[in-house]
Amino acid sequence: MNSIDLTPLYRSSVGFDRLASLIDHALATETNTNGYPPYNIEMLDEKRYAITLAVAGFSQEEIDIQVEKGVLTVRGNKPEKNETKFLHRGIANRTFERKFNLADYVEVTGADLINGLLTISLVKEIPEAMKPKTIAINTNEPVLEHNAKEQIEAKGA
């Protein structure tokens, strides 16, 4: 059920390769992914977003954040300590990796780790060349007029 042939999409469209790859990747990933660490994605305004991950027990040195080819990857590497004997272990201090696909023109602007919450700030900046432009219509300029008499004379000459 998780296999859909996207070949017709590649044949009939140009420039949507990334969209098709995202759909293919989403269908190919495990449906039973673990939920660690839990996270929120917030839309702060039209252009600003924030991803907040609950990383209790991790220090700043144990967390790695990278962006490559439109994919934000957050990794937590917790070294194993075997000297502690737990009667109950409810706090998950294990190594993790979370990936987030970023839309075009979304850039990571910073990250903060406060009270066990890692907040990654994102901003969507569309380049000026990609923004819609309004074209003014001139009404005061004289318009070139061609009358039939000039056209007949031009053909006869």
Side-chain angles (χ1 to χ4, degrees), residues 66-79:
Q66 294 182 353
V67 178
E68 183 178 354
K69 296 181 182 176
V71 177
L72 169 65
T73 305
V74 181
R75 290 183 187 91
N77 188 7
K78 194 73 168 171

Side-chain angles (χ1 to χ4, degrees), residues 3 11 15 27 30 32 41 44-45 51 53 59 73 84 93 102-104 109 117-118 130 135 137 146:
S3 179
R11 280 194 312 243
L27 294 173
E30 267 184 53
N32 192 13
I41 300 175
L44 304 174
D45 61 38
I51 299 173
L53 292 96
S59 67
T73 305
T84 308
N93 274 346
L102 302 178
D104 292 337
T109 58
L117 295 175
L118 175 66
M130 300 298 289
I135 308 301
I137 300 172
H146 298 285

Side-chain angles (χ1 to χ4, degrees), residues 138-154:
N138 296 328
T139 56
N140 297 335
E141 299 281 325
V143 179
L144 290 177
E145 292 184 19
H146 298 285
N147 57 29
K149 191 176 191 181
E150 290 176 357
Q151 290 176 357
I152 292 172
E153 289 174 4

Side-chain angles (χ1 to χ4, degrees), residues 56-121:
F58 283 85
S59 67
Q60 182 177 343
E61 295 79 26
E62 296 169 331
I63 298 174
D64 179 42
I65 304 170
Q66 294 182 353
V67 178
E68 183 178 354
K69 296 181 182 176
V71 177
L72 169 65
T73 305
V74 181
R75 290 183 187 91
N77 188 7
K78 194 73 168 171
E80 287 292 324
K81 295 179 182 177
N82 294 331
E83 64 261 3
T84 308
K85 285 188 175 183
F86 291 99
L87 297 176
H88 171 73
R89 189 169 186 172
I91 300 173
N93 274 346
R94 61 181 180 261
T95 301
F96 69 87
E97 178 176 281
R98 278 271 184 205
K99 292 187 177 190
F100 301 93
N101 291 309
L102 302 178
D104 292 337
Y105 313 116
V106 173
E107 298 291 329
V108 177
T109 58
D112 298 306
L113 181 60
I114 301 171
N115 297 330
L117 295 175
L118 175 66
T119 302
I120 301 169
S121 302

